[in-house]
Amino acid sequence: MAAQRGQRNGVGDTPPAPTAAEITAPIPRVVAEVPAARERARAIPEAAVARLAVYLRVLSGMQDQGSGTVSSEELAAAAGVNSAKLRKDLSYIGSYGTRGVGYEVAVLIEEIERILGLTRKQSVAVVGIGNLGHALANYGGFPGRGFPVTALFDVDPDLIGVPVGGLPVEHIDDIPTICAEREVSIGVIATPPPAAQTVCDRLVEAGVQCILNFAPVVLQVPDHVEVRKVDLAVELQVLSFHVARRADNAAATNGVAPEFNGKVNGMVVS
């Protein structure tokens, strides 16, 4: 019947009225599942999102090694969390595993990828092709995880047009045009601090709504733009704190007083 209707409909014909069967046909599950998945994603705490990315990395490694299933204890240990927290995190995406069996690795990978938005490739632009920018542009792990670098930008005339990681470096003045043309969804800022805000503004102008910022500055962005800041110096300072604390704990355990730096509660003591 459908084929017959299709045959007699010409370019100017009026579309036929739907049949009773077409009107009462159930809506495909995928239509209902997409909004449900988005609702679940909005309810996931940011800290849990970061852990889901870790679980995905671990699961991908397990899949490469031929693992079909994994218990919550095994996955938790490999990811460096306790099993209760892992089960709570996975409950956010509607995955509860099977008692006595655990989780199917392939299925869990698909569920996490869907929640993290990895079912489509996220085009990436790197701005600032210095040492860090070169490293990011040449990093082979991005495309395999769904983040192909499709544009590079700088202001150095000696770099413009020079290929890095297989891509020519463009001038930052071309950010709005090129990022829009290549549908860049994530911008990476690896510029010196004074240039970061200008670069950020141009990325936002191009429609980029997610920015990974390596410059040690706070960026001003519209409410709809998400910024993740990576300050390597801060991370090293945090690690330094843990080193110092462990040294102090070891000294206290051995009956040795912690190193005295001439200050008590911030006051110099002579």
Side-chain angles (χ1 to χ4, degrees):
M1 185 68 179
Q4 294 173 357
R5 289 201 308 271
Q7 290 172 359
R8 68 169 178 260
N9 281 337
V11 174
D13 291 342
T14 302
T19 65
E22 290 171 335
I23 294 174
T24 58
I27 298 174
R29 278 188 65 197
V30 67
V31 175
E33 286 175 352
V34 171
R38 289 173 181 167
E39 286 300 323
R40 288 200 302 270
R42 280 195 285 268
I44 302 176
E46 189 167 337
V49 173
R51 289 192 295 270
L52 286 174
V54 174
Y55 304 152
L56 179 59
R57 183 191 66 208
V58 172
L59 287 164
S60 297
M62 291 179 172
Q63 187 178 53
D64 290 342
Q65 295 175 2
S67 298
T69 59
V70 60
S71 69
S72 58
E73 290 77 13
E74 291 171 334
L75 182 53
V81 300
N82 63 61
S83 56
K85 179 173 291 186
L86 172 101
R87 287 191 291 269
K88 176 65 174 177
D89 291 340
L90 296 184
S91 72
Y92 287 120
I93 66 175
S95 183
Y96 299 93
T98 303
R99 184 179 296 276
V101 177
Y103 299 90
E104 291 187 39
V105 172
V107 172
L108 193 50
I109 287 175
E110 290 178 0
E111 291 175 346
I112 296 177
E113 285 181 339
R114 184 171 61 252
I115 287 294
L116 294 182
L118 300 178
T119 51
R120 55 163 291 183
K121 291 188 181 298
Q122 306 290 347
S123 182
V124 177
V126 178
V127 187
I129 312 302
N131 291 333
L132 177 58
H134 265 88
L136 294 172
N138 283 293
Y139 178 53
F142 288 149
R145 296 187 180 183
F147 300 96
V149 176
T150 60
L152 305 174
F153 300 96
D154 205 285
V155 294
D156 187 346
D158 293 334
L159 286 175
I160 306 304
V162 175
V164 177
L167 285 173
V169 178
E170 315 281 353
H171 196 278
I172 64 169
D173 289 344
D174 296 325
I175 285 177
T177 302
I178 292 177
C179 285
E181 288 176 350
R182 301 179 188 177
E183 299 182 338
V184 170
S185 54
I186 299 175
V188 179
I189 298 178
T191 67
Q197 185 63 55
T198 298
V199 166
C200 175
D201 293 342
R202 295 184 182 183
L203 289 169
V204 172
E205 180 185 348
V208 176
Q209 297 186 14
C210 294
I211 294 173
L212 182 62
N213 178 31
F214 284 91
V217 294
V218 176
L219 298 175
Q220 303 301 317
V221 297
D223 291 339
H224 69 278
V225 176
E226 183 73 21
V227 176
R228 296 284 295 179
K229 190 175 188 310
V230 180
D231 192 324
L232 299 179
V234 168
E235 299 301 326
L236 290 172
Q237 289 164 355
V238 171
L239 291 174
S240 175
F241 163 78
H242 289 292
V243 171
R245 184 176 64 177
R246 290 176 181 177
D248 289 345
N249 289 341
T253 301
N254 294 329
V256 179
E259 181 181 355
F260 178 62
N261 62 4
K263 294 182 179 181
V264 175
N265 292 333
M267 300 178 62
V268 177
V269 178
S270 58

